[in-house]
Amino acid sequence: MRLMLWTALVAFGGACGDNQDPEGARALWQSIHAQDYRAFQRAPGYETKRDSNAPHRDQVLIYINQRVADALSAGPTIDAWPEGSLIVKEGFDGSDLELVAVMEKRSTGWYWAEYDASGDPSYSGAPQLCTDCHRSGADYVRAFGFPQ
């Protein structure tokens, strides 16, 4: 019984998300599509779908904009990502796209958003779920799983 109750609470809590800025999330969704994020370079190590044990589904692809690519090629370590850095992660269950997670470095810090496959945001702003998980490095560098 406890397991069923816990499962129901987790499922309900996960479905609610933490959508702090729905309008901003919709604007970011439009922006990444206007930029054709799938034409971005893929993050090192993510040239093809890669298995994942993270909460972003079973397999992921990660796209990086030119600012991130330039920062990665500038040297062996990165202390901080430049403003305008954009990282887009697609999460798949099998061959089905299930979610799109986006991080954008702004003058105020990182902006986070996660969407279902149709573009409806469930997380946006600076949700604790995102920031707690990605805190593992200076300016969230180590959290991406590709070389610094």
Side-chain angles (χ1 to χ4, degrees):
M1 181 67 174
R2 273 189 204 168
L3 180 59
M4 289 175 33
L5 179 59
W6 175 249
T7 302
L9 287 172
V10 169
F12 177 73
C16 292
D18 186 3
N19 198 7
Q20 300 170 1
D21 181 22
E23 288 180 31
R26 283 189 284 280
L28 182 56
W29 179 260
Q30 291 174 351
S31 174
I32 65 171
H33 284 84
Q35 296 176 60
D36 190 17
Y37 76 87
R38 287 186 176 137
F40 290 177
Q41 177 178 326
R42 298 246 179 106
Y46 291 87
E47 290 78 12
T48 60
K49 270 193 230 177
R50 185 168 156 180
D51 290 341
S52 173
N53 60 0
H56 297 293
R57 301 299 189 249
D58 296 335
Q59 292 186 312
V60 296
L61 281 172
I62 300 176
Y63 302 89
I64 57 176
N65 73 352
Q66 193 61 49
R67 290 207 188 212
V68 175
D70 290 345
L72 286 171
S73 65
T77 61
I78 299 166
D79 293 324
W81 296 101
E83 188 176 325
S85 292
L86 185 63
I87 300 167
V88 181
K89 181 185 283 186
E90 293 182 329
F92 297 85
D93 284 333
S95 62
D96 297 329
L97 177 64
E98 295 290 326
L99 66 83
V100 177
V102 181
M103 294 176 61
E104 182 180 45
K105 181 71 178 277
R106 298 179 174 179
S107 62
T108 56
W110 285 103
Y111 183 91
W112 312 78
E114 186 174 284
Y115 309 86
D116 65 19
S118 67
D120 290 327
S122 53
Y123 295 92
S124 65
Q128 186 173 354
L129 180 71
C130 301
T131 58
D132 282 354
C133 195
H134 284 268
R135 281 196 201 284
S136 62
D139 198 24
Y140 301 103
V141 171
R142 291 185 194 97
F144 305 121
F146 50 84
Q148 301 179 46

